Amino acid sequence: MTPPAEPQDGGPEGGCGPAPGAYRNEGIRTLLSMFEHGDPEEQQPLGRILQGLQESAFGVFLFIAILPAFIPVPGIGGAVSGPLVLLIGLQMMAGLSRPWVPGFIARRGPRRGTMHRFLGRIDRPLRRLDRMLKPRLSALVWPLPARVFTGLLLVMTGVLLSLPIPLTNYLFGFQLLLFALALIERDGALMLFNWIAALAACLFFGLGSGQLVSHSIDLFQHWTS
């Protein structure tokens, strides 16, 4: 198992430095720079990527977790990304400030080349978003109630992503990408938009079709049996 990274001096849990919730300049461009140089076939273990991150750890974990959702092969994206999103959402609902990563997941991760190709596909909208995103409305991102509510919506969206709903992998993948960016950039305005959009998606695709409720009941029965 890979435990959450130890807090650094000046972090939200350190004895000095910025107060809890302070931004640590772990923006999307800074974090993704780790994939820019090196062998394209080199694997980047998730445990190593998250090591040392503070407030952005959940966002980076989510960013990497949704990569399979953009694979144009039916069934694969939801089967891989869905459980990872559920893991992230449940940990946020439990009040963790940084993710706990099981060892068999921590030892795996994307190749540099995979990240390059993914970033190349979303480079234009990512650059536009990068100019607009900034730390703001921290009450919608950092406090425990906000993290718990975000975690709940991630669980619901993760369940929808894992369902065999036609032509929705990209839709839910993009929704989760916005959640990841909001967590990484500490942007409460984007998070508020995500809350509204995720609730609308869950009502339309989940409760409207009955699949979210039935699948959640099946999961609960499976875990308690």
Side-chain angles (χ1 to χ4, degrees):
M1 295 183 296
T2 299
E6 292 297 325
Q8 305 295 318
D9 290 341
E13 298 180 28
C16 58
Y23 186 65
R24 287 177 55 88
N25 191 28
E26 293 174 353
I28 185 65
R29 289 293 172 182
T30 301
L31 294 171
L32 295 181
S33 64
M34 68 180 69
F35 298 101
E36 291 180 355
H37 306 290
D39 182 2
E41 295 301 315
E42 180 185 0
Q43 187 182 46
Q44 299 291 298
L46 182 61
R48 184 196 305 168
I49 294 172
L50 298 181
Q51 187 69 31
L53 295 181
Q54 299 294 320
E55 294 91 337
S56 300
F58 271 118
V60 174
F61 191 2
L62 181 60
F63 188 92
I64 295 173
I66 63 173
L67 290 179
F70 294 92
I71 297 175
V73 178
I76 292 181
V80 177
S81 292
L84 291 176
V85 174
L86 284 171
L87 175 64
I88 294 169
L90 289 172
Q91 291 189 37
M92 293 185 69
M93 289 180 65
L96 299 185
S97 59
R98 289 186 300 256
W100 167 80
V101 186
F104 72 96
I105 296 178
R107 291 188 293 270
R108 292 168 172 79
R111 290 184 171 87
R112 290 183 187 272
T114 302
M115 288 297 296
H116 274 300
R117 288 191 294 272
F118 176 66
L119 293 173
R121 293 172 63 182
I122 65 171
D123 183 69
R124 182 173 296 179
L126 187 61
R127 287 182 182 276
R128 291 176 180 174
L129 283 170
D130 194 45
R131 291 194 292 267
M132 296 185 291
L133 299 179
K134 60 183 178 181
R136 55 185 164 182
L137 300 178
S138 60
L140 301 181
V141 180
W142 178 255
L144 180 59
R147 284 186 280 138
V148 169
F149 186 61
T150 297
L152 174 62
L153 293 179
L154 289 179
V155 168
M156 296 169 66
T157 307
V159 170
L160 287 175
L161 179 60
S162 66
L163 292 175
I165 305 176
L167 307 177
T168 57
N169 270 17
Y170 282 6
L171 175 63
F172 295 136
F174 183 71
Q175 175 67 71
L176 292 166
L177 174 62
L178 294 182
F179 267 108
L181 293 176
L183 289 169
I184 291 172
E185 296 287 355
R186 308 293 302 282
D187 193 324
L190 178 58
M191 186 62 76
L192 178 60
F193 170 82
N194 290 335
W195 288 354
I196 296 171
L199 285 172
C202 291
L203 288 172
F204 183 81
F205 290 102
L207 300 181
S209 64
Q211 294 187 77
L212 180 60
V213 174
S214 62
H215 190 66
S216 299
I217 293 174
D218 290 341
L219 283 176
F220 178 77
Q221 292 176 342
H222 175 72
W223 291 339
T224 56
S225 60

